[in-house]
Structure formats: C-alpha cells, structure tokens
Amino acid sequence: MNSAKKILLVEDDQDIATLLRLNLQDEGYQIVHEANGTQALVQLEKQVWDAVILDLMLPGVDGLEICRRIRQMTRYLPVIIISARTSETHRVLGLEMGADDYLPKPFSVLELIARVKALFRRQEAMGQNIRMEGGSISCHGLDIDPLSREVRLRGEMVELTPREFDLLYWFARHPGEVFSRLALLDRVWGYQHEGYEHTVNTHINRLRIKIEHDPAEPEIILTVWGKGYKFASDKAESLS
C-alpha cells in the first residue's frame, strides 16, 4: 500500500518542496523533506527509504553526487531527478549516474505523482517476476542475474544503470518479440506518454554501446524498421 512507502524529498526551493510534500502525502506516501544535500546524505544513512525525489542544484552536496552514492549502496533505491537543468546532456548525465527517471522543471505535479506510482508498480512487478521465474538468463554471451542485478558479457562485468538493466532483462525474457517504443515505455518505465519515446532510443543506444560488438551493426538488440525493437533469438537457458 502507498501508506507504507517512505520517500525522501531533496529540494532546496521551499515552495516547490511544500507543494510536492502536500500532494504526495495526499496520495498516502510518507514524505521527509531535506533542503540541503549534505543533510540528505545523513538521512539516507539513518533510515530505509522506498524512493528518493532529488533536485540537482543543492547547497552542500549536489544531486548528481547524491545519486552516485545511492548507487554505491548494496540495496537498490529508486531515484527520480527533478531539475531546472533541461538540456539533453544533463538528462543523459542524470540517467548515467543511475537515476530511474528525470523530470525537467517546470513539471506537472500530477505527472510527478504518476511517475512515482509507475516506478513503484514496475518495481513490484519486477520483484514478482523474479520470485516466480528465479534464476539467471544466459544468451548471446551475456549472463543476466536478476537477483544481484548484475550482467556479465563473456565473463566481464558490464556496468549498467538500473533502467538499462531493466530494459535488457525485459528484452532477454522476450526474445524475438517486437516492441514499439511506447510499448517499452509502458512495460519497462511503467508509463506511456507520447513525446518520451526518445528516452527509449537513448537507453537502447547506450545498451548497444555496452553489449554489442559493433553498436553501429547490432546483433543482439535489433531495430525493426517502422515497428520498434526486438531481442535477437538465441538458445537462451534459465540457470537454476
């Protein structure tokens, strides 16, 4: 239930923080607000959180550094970045640092709430799938372990952001199936909004750089022109 979800809101603009806190509390979430990056890190160490909503430009430690430290933790913690930095470079950098989502300011509070709900739905669905299916997936020289969220390519560790892992794992579980960009947004990101399809393109391009022998001529994640993308069929095995 939403009432069990505890969210750390890190935002130095008091008006924005108050607006978000009140609306998120109305949805049943427990919200703790910190306006200072250094104090936010203290809160992260003191308590167990279900998600973090994180501004980038903060007094003390900045948001990107906080995101980087969150990804060094052993427990996976979802992160949504909210920022006035709206350039594609900043969005890509935030995602590379391990953010699950990036929402540029100004944004609709209703959209942020929808993103939070979608994040929790996706996390729960992924957890259920892992519990039901268990084991790793081995294909195309990749070993994908959903429990440790680790990927190895021909024995070498591949560093993926949380969303890159989820996208790869989804593809690997559905080899040969074609998914449109909107379908991938719905199934992997947990929401379906036209205009965000470029996010799928960006993640697939980064995945190809990390797992393909030649990203310009991919052999694993294939483009199906006019339809979307598919994961090349392979004699994949589920390892017990």
Side-chain angles (χ1 to χ4, degrees):
M1 295 176 59
N2 287 349
S3 59
K5 301 294 186 183
K6 184 182 292 186
I7 300 174
L8 177 61
L9 172 62
V10 189
E11 168 61 69
D12 65 332
D13 186 307
Q14 189 60 51
D15 291 337
I16 293 176
T18 299
L19 179 65
L20 295 182
R21 178 173 55 81
L22 291 174
N23 279 273
L24 288 164
Q25 285 176 339
D26 285 345
E27 294 294 326
Y29 299 114
Q30 299 179 42
I31 307 299
V32 174
H33 170 233
E34 285 292 347
N36 181 282
T38 304
Q39 290 303 312
L41 287 176
V42 173
Q43 286 284 2
L44 286 167
E45 294 293 334
K46 285 171 55 177
Q47 302 186 53
V48 175
W49 302 93
D50 294 297
V52 177
I53 299 174
L54 179 64
D55 190 15
L56 290 185
M57 294 181 285
L58 297 165
V61 180
D62 70 24
L64 286 177
E65 176 62 18
I66 293 173
C67 190
R68 186 185 68 80
R69 296 196 194 182
I70 288 173
R71 286 298 165 250
Q72 291 178 337
M73 297 177 177
T74 54
R75 178 178 176 270
Y76 172 66
L77 178 60
V79 177
I80 297 177
I81 288 178
I82 54 173
S83 178
R85 296 176 178 174
T86 59
S87 72
E88 184 175 1
T89 299
H90 283 113
R91 289 197 297 271
V92 170
L93 184 57
L95 295 169
E96 287 284 4
M97 282 291 183
D100 294 86
D101 211 341
Y102 192 111
L103 198 57
K105 297 177 182 177
F107 55 81
S108 160
V109 174
L110 292 178
E111 181 173 359
L112 175 64
I113 291 172
R115 299 284 188 97
V116 171
K117 290 180 177 179
L119 185 148
F120 286 138
R121 283 198 306 270
R122 182 177 56 82
Q123 187 180 31
E124 177 62 25
M126 187 68 71
Q128 289 176 350
N129 287 336
I130 290 171
R131 288 192 293 272
M132 287 188 296
E133 297 173 10
S136 299
I137 297 174
S138 180
C139 55
H140 298 291
L142 293 163
D143 293 305
I144 307 168
D145 187 336
L147 296 178
S148 65
R149 297 180 65 85
E150 292 182 348
V151 175
R152 294 182 181 273
L153 177 61
R154 292 182 285 277
E156 296 293 325
M157 186 73 74
V158 180
E159 295 294 333
L160 299 181
T161 66
R163 192 73 70 169
E164 289 168 357
F165 178 89
D166 291 343
L167 182 60
L168 178 62
Y169 185 57
W170 175 265
F171 271 130
R173 287 175 52 226
H174 302 88
E177 294 187 37
V178 178
F179 296 97
S180 69
R181 290 177 296 175
L182 280 175
L184 289 169
L185 274 175
D186 186 41
R187 290 162 175 77
V188 178
W189 276 255
Y191 56 83
Q192 188 179 75
H193 297 303
E194 293 195 23
Y196 288 91
E197 297 98 318
H198 67 278
T199 300
V200 176
N201 295 352
T202 300
H203 280 76
I204 286 177
N205 289 338
R206 292 207 308 268
L207 261 181
R208 283 171 168 169
I209 290 171
K210 294 178 180 181
I211 68 172
E212 299 278 5
H213 176 70
D214 181 0
E217 297 289 339
E219 299 177 347
I220 302 174
I221 301 177
L222 307 178
T223 299
V224 181
W225 296 108
K227 295 183 179 180
Y229 300 94
K230 72 174 182 179
F231 195 81
S233 297
D234 187 49
K235 294 182 180 179
E237 298 179 6
S238 292
L239 305 178
S240 59

